[in-house]
Amino acid sequence: MTAPWTRAAEDDPLDGLRAALTAADCGYEPRGGYEDRCWLLHAIHDGPVRLRWDEVLSREGRRLADWPGTLSYLVFEGVAGAEELEGPDPAELDRMSLARLVEHLIRHSPKGPDTSCGAAQAPVATLPGEPLVARRGRLGDALAHHDAMPDFRFPATWWAADGRWLVLTDWDLSATEIFGDAALIAALIADPELDAVRRPGIAEALGI
């Protein structure tokens, strides 16, 4: 039986992340502490066909590897026909990719679906003066939480309580950054059902 994640108490330290999460308006990107990281690119569809980002960019003879900035809609500016495609969505991973990501996280977590998770909305999504919206729950209930949300996007930042991995979907971007051990990141990049790539982090891309 699955259930949506439940609201965390306002005095919950969130595994030592509360201050960082509160200060990160669009979602928290750690500067270290993980073996590896990658980006999961949000889905683009041409009708029923899912396209990789590089397939779209190749229409103009471009490659994602040559893009110097962060992973937003700006990547596709000037690409013929890009505005007629569906996606990539900002601030939220599509459900199919989320489900696949959860499968990988379960396989690379000692407690599998029973892994304890924390999650937090981006502060930019709340009204000024409101406390951070944070939740607790099982990794195996991530999709149940996604499907139960009527008002908010899936949490911008969510993580394993034991610090094994962290997932960030920055409010302004169209890709999700995953931090974890080398085996997890290698599995994500190798998965043919995902468009996962190695790219600079947000701070590195922005030079901050």
Side-chain angles (χ1 to χ4, degrees):
M1 186 81 172
T2 58
W5 295 341
T6 57
R7 187 77 176 253
E10 291 186 17
D11 61 353
D12 185 332
L14 301 177
D15 308 304
L17 294 176
R18 180 172 284 278
L21 291 162
T22 302
D25 286 348
C26 294
Y28 168 63
E29 181 185 50
R31 300 294 182 93
Y34 295 91
E35 227 176 34
D36 205 354
R37 69 183 184 194
C38 70
W39 286 92
L40 194 54
L41 307 178
H42 296 183
I44 300 175
H45 287 90
D46 185 358
V49 179
R50 179 168 181 167
L51 303 173
R52 290 182 174 269
W53 283 31
D54 268 333
E55 290 181 84
V56 179
L57 291 170
S58 68
R59 298 176 179 184
E60 297 294 331
R62 288 157 49 183
R63 303 181 309 153
L64 183 60
D66 299 326
W67 175 254
T70 54
L71 297 169
S72 71
Y73 69 91
L74 295 173
V75 172
F76 301 100
E77 279 196 340
V79 176
E83 67 280 356
E84 300 169 6
L85 301 175
E86 180 186 347
D89 289 338
E92 188 168 34
L93 192 64
D94 59 283
R95 192 185 189 282
M96 189 208 77
S97 296
L98 175 63
R100 192 72 176 167
L101 171 59
V102 169
E103 289 177 11
H104 281 284
L105 295 175
I106 286 173
R107 282 199 292 271
H108 289 86
S109 299
K111 294 184 179 179
D114 290 326
T115 298
S116 177
C117 297
Q121 296 290 347
V124 73
T126 63
L127 295 174
E130 286 192 350
L132 183 75
V133 178
R135 293 182 172 86
R136 291 282 191 183
R138 295 171 62 253
L139 176 56
D141 292 339
L143 286 178
H145 184 66
H146 173 279
D147 295 342
M149 289 188 308
D151 300 318
F152 294 102
R153 294 178 184 272
F154 198 74
T157 312
W158 47 294
W159 63 93
D162 64 4
R164 183 169 295 268
W165 48 261
L166 180 143
V167 179
L168 164 66
T169 304
D170 185 284
W171 191 261
D172 288 335
L173 302 186
S174 296
T176 290
E177 195 172 11
I178 300 106
F179 301 81
D181 62 30
L184 168 63
I185 303 306
L188 291 170
I189 291 174
D191 189 336
E193 296 187 29
L194 296 173
D195 195 0
V197 298
R198 293 189 182 279
R199 291 278 307 174
I202 300 167
E204 184 180 352
L206 296 178
I208 58 175

